[in-house]
Amino acid sequence: MRTRAPASLLVIGLTATALVGCQVDTWSERCSSNTAQRSCEISVSGNTFNDLPFPVSGPILGNVPDRFRLETASEGGSATFSAGGTEGGTFSCEEGQTISIGDSSLQCGAIGDNSLDFTISRTR
């Protein structure tokens, strides 16, 4: 009599191993604005392209948001990312560091393995 249990267990084990290696891409933002400034706190993991909530340069109203992509990040180290449109490029930062991107400023918060929390802001 043949048994299928070992083959089934092998398939389950391979599936579980594959799922452990999957990268989950997340993007969450919380924005606020007043008459003078717009600011967003953003948490990102993974390396897919995401739309920033507003362009880093040029008029905010009636304009298409610029893109953001986390390239690399390591806990306790630095994060490298691409941001912006024609005024953008590739940038690096460490926790607590503030950098300028076009008309906007970006302050790096917590940096994890392949994750970054940051605040981006600009005057209206």
Side-chain angles (χ1 to χ4, degrees), residues 4-26:
R4 291 186 165 259
S8 297
L9 291 175
L10 177 62
V11 170
I12 291 170
L14 291 174
T15 302
T17 302
L19 290 176
V20 169
C22 288
Q23 171 61 45
V24 177
D25 296 320
T26 62

Side-chain angles (χ1 to χ4, degrees), residues 22-80:
C22 288
Q23 171 61 45
V24 177
D25 296 320
T26 62
W27 177 272
S28 65
E29 61 187 62
R30 187 177 68 202
C31 297
S32 63
S33 63
N34 57 37
T35 56
Q37 186 163 350
R38 181 154 187 190
S39 177
C40 295
E41 296 175 8
I42 299 174
S43 293
V44 61
S45 67
N47 60 0
T48 61
F49 283 96
N50 296 281
D51 287 335
L52 287 166
F54 51 83
V56 295
S57 296
I60 290 178
L61 299 175
N63 203 347
V64 176
D66 288 327
R67 307 283 282 166
F68 179 95
R69 181 173 184 239
L70 182 63
E71 306 288 339
T72 62
S74 57
E75 189 169 347
S78 63
T80 301

Side-chain angles (χ1 to χ4, degrees), residues 91-111:
F91 305 90
S92 292
C93 66
E94 296 177 354
E95 287 185 22
Q97 183 180 9
T98 300
I99 59 173
S100 294
I101 303 173
D103 298 338
S104 302
S105 66
L106 185 144
Q107 181 178 24
C108 285
I111 299 174

